[in-house]
Amino acid sequence: MSLSSSLFSGISGLSTLGNAMQIIGDNISNVNTVGFKGSRVTFQDVLSQTVATTAGSAQVGRGTSLADISSTFAQGSFESTSSATDLAIGGEGFFVVRDPNNANNDYYTRAGEFRFDKDGNFVNPAGYIVRGWALDASTGEDYGSMTDVTLSSFTSSPAETQNISVITNLDSDATSLTTTLESSWNGASTTPMSSTSYEYQTTVKVYDSLGSTHDITIYYDRTTTAGQWEYIITCNPDEDARPNAQLPTGPTQGAGLLARGIINFQPGSGSIQDMKMQLFDPNSADNTLDPSNPDNTVAAVDGLADWNLAGTTIDEDAWQSEVTPNTNGYLCFTPEFITGSPLTVEFNAGCRYNGSNWVPSSLASSQFSSASSTIFQAADGYGAGDLQSVSVDTDGVITGQYSNGQVIPLYRVALAKFQNNDGLFKAGG
């Protein structure tokens, strides 16, 4: 041993302690760094030198060195923020972020301070793009492989109407005001239906495939048969885009007339017994009064012997055969507001056909001795909407709220888990 050896031992202690203090200083300086994991130092002695003493062999230490610098991956405390896109991980795992300049460079972080940039990318403050899975808008299930969380569109596409529910009470004390409702309809008139030709009418708004709204109006009137009401389903004649509904010289009498039908109520109970419907096809007839056509004065058509159809203005040849209930048990009509894109709309009056009988639901149209009124009406479908806000749930699902009322799942944020967290290296930033 020598004096220089003792100095080297002391220097090793100073050097090692200096590194330890540097790590402590780094921990302190990052006390406000979101997601920062502090480090700890492990010291170890170095190889000892064997020396001879009067008592025999002994060892003299040669100083100290850093055995290990490890990160502490214990769960940190949560902090409340005012941003809906600030995320934190409860338990194990890391957010996955990608270098925007290198598609193959993924990094892993516990810091969840994220936001959407001007290009729709979900990024951290350094501009690294968060990774996740796109979600099916209807089912909310993941599809495809992990990808960048990027909003390519800030709008919600419209959805056309497929069902309308119109629940009414029709006054049992009402009397028949016209022979047939369709005979009073005149699509060429400024007022297609006179108020003296029907007992009650109600209007519901529907959407076409481009998100435009249209009024569907249903007119009701008693027939001379006890417990029976007839109805017609109509739209604005100027919006009727069915073939031949609009002639070059203007709307025909049948423009806007979509369907006709009857509702039979059970005697003494006021609940629906059965329903019928026929669709009006403006392409199969001239839709105007044709005195030479004997069909204009028929009392029944297509086997509906209990249906008074003594039409005087609408050509009976334009009425298609009776509509059969669809697989859901509802009668459907087919308005067309965009040329070549007809809708198929279920008409739900509060009852459905189960294959053998019409079964009223808990909320159904009725015939009671009180003023005719609309009890409930609704229609599905919606117009286009703009993204108003986003939220993230506890499973990492990013959901968009749109101005048309839609709440659409967009992405699920990915988490990575490692068998050995201590094998990771800090990249900074």
Side-chain angles (χ1 to χ4, degrees):
M1 294 184 66
S2 65
L3 181 60
S4 61
S5 297
S6 65
L7 292 176
F8 288 142
S9 296
I11 290 171
S12 71
L14 291 173
S15 176
T16 304
L17 185 60
N19 288 332
M21 293 183 67
Q22 182 179 350
I23 292 169
I24 294 171
D26 181 58
N27 290 342
I28 294 173
S29 66
N30 282 285
V31 68
N32 291 319
T33 300
V34 176
F36 177 79
K37 296 303 177 187
S39 299
R40 66 177 183 177
V41 179
T42 301
F43 290 79
Q44 68 179 14
D45 61 351
V46 297
L47 179 67
S48 298
Q49 181 179 358
T50 302
V51 297
T53 68
T54 57
S57 297
Q59 291 181 306
V60 177
R62 299 300 300 272
T64 186
S65 65
L66 290 177
D68 182 48
I69 301 174
S70 60
S71 296
T72 304
F73 289 95
Q75 171 73 57
S77 59
F78 292 148
E79 296 181 11
S80 297
T81 73
S82 59
S83 174
T85 56
D86 281 347
L87 310 182
I89 301 172
E92 298 183 67
F94 296 83
F95 298 113
V96 185
V97 295
R98 180 182 68 81
D99 184 346
N101 300 316
N102 190 333
N104 298 316
N105 254 13
D106 284 346
Y107 294 86
Y108 308 92
T109 178
R110 296 277 294 187
E113 187 178 351
F114 302 133
R115 61 181 181 272
F116 286 98
D117 66 12
K118 62 182 178 61
D119 297 318
N121 297 315
F122 197 43
V123 298
N124 68 3
Y128 285 67
I129 303 172
V130 181
R131 307 276 281 168
W133 289 273
L135 301 181
D136 184 276
S138 56
T139 65
E141 296 296 323
D142 303 354
Y143 68 87
S145 58
M146 191 169 66
T147 184
D148 294 345
V149 177
T150 301
L151 294 183
S152 57
S153 174
F154 289 85
T155 61
S156 167
S157 299
E160 64 185 33
T161 297
Q162 296 180 318
N163 173 280
I164 64 170
S165 297
V166 181
I167 312 300
T168 57
N169 176 69
L170 301 175
D171 189 357
S172 61
D173 295 328
T175 59
S176 177
L177 298 179
T178 187
T179 304
T180 58
L181 278 172
E182 74 269 11
S183 64
S184 301
W185 178 265
N186 184 358
S189 174
T190 304
T191 305
M193 177 69 83
S194 169
S195 60
T196 60
S197 301
Y198 58 90
E199 160 62 20
Y200 186 67
Q201 64 91 15
T202 186
T203 299
V204 62
K205 195 175 295 293
V206 300
Y207 295 86
D208 63 29
S209 59
L210 296 180
S212 297
T213 59
H214 308 272
D215 287 340
I216 295 292
T217 302
I218 305 170
Y219 296 91
Y220 301 89
D221 191 44
R222 280 291 299 267
T223 72
T224 55
T225 302
Q228 186 180 87
W229 289 73
E230 62 175 330
Y231 65 87
I232 60 171
I233 301 176
T234 68
C235 68
N236 185 335
D238 294 333
E239 297 177 353
D240 192 349
R242 293 174 298 170
N244 284 353
Q246 308 287 344
L247 296 179
T249 57
T252 64
Q253 287 178 304
L257 183 59
L258 304 174
R260 67 180 178 183
I262 57 172
I263 302 175
N264 288 308
F265 291 92
Q266 296 177 358
S269 72
S271 57
I272 293 179
Q273 177 175 292
D274 60 60
M275 295 178 62
K276 293 182 174 67
M277 181 188 289
Q278 281 184 304
L279 302 183
F280 183 78
D281 181 8
N283 195 41
S284 64
D286 58 14
N287 310 332
T288 57
L289 178 63
D290 182 3
S292 65
N293 187 345
D295 285 343
N296 282 321
T297 57
V298 295
V301 67
D302 294 318
L304 302 180
D306 57 346
W307 199 350
N308 182 5
L309 300 176
T312 57
T313 58
I314 302 298
D315 194 325
E316 292 294 342
D317 284 342
W319 292 103
Q320 299 178 358
S321 57
E322 183 181 349
V323 174
T324 56
N326 66 2
T327 54
N328 294 327
Y330 298 108
L331 301 174
C332 297
F333 61 98
T334 55
E336 186 172 335
F337 304 110
I338 301 173
T339 302
S341 299
L343 308 180
T344 299
V345 182
E346 294 178 347
F347 176 42
N348 178 9
C351 65
R352 58 182 296 274
Y353 189 68
N354 65 3
S356 56
N357 296 295
W358 286 88
V359 181
S361 60
S362 57
L363 186 63
S365 294
S366 57
Q367 180 193 238
F368 295 127
S369 182
S370 61
S372 297
S373 61
T374 299
I375 300 171
F376 172 80
Q377 67 171 219
D380 59 5
Y382 46 84
D386 297 321
L387 182 65
Q388 293 186 315
S389 63
V390 294
S391 61
V392 187
D393 69 12
T394 55
D395 293 326
V397 174
I398 301 175
T399 302
Q401 289 81 36
Y402 295 83
S403 58
N404 58 1
Q406 295 304 296
V407 179
I408 301 176
L410 303 172
Y411 285 93
R412 188 189 309 276
V413 175
L415 291 183
K417 185 178 179 181
F418 296 94
Q419 294 291 341
N420 177 25
N421 290 339
D422 291 320
L424 299 173
F425 288 87
K426 293 182 178 181

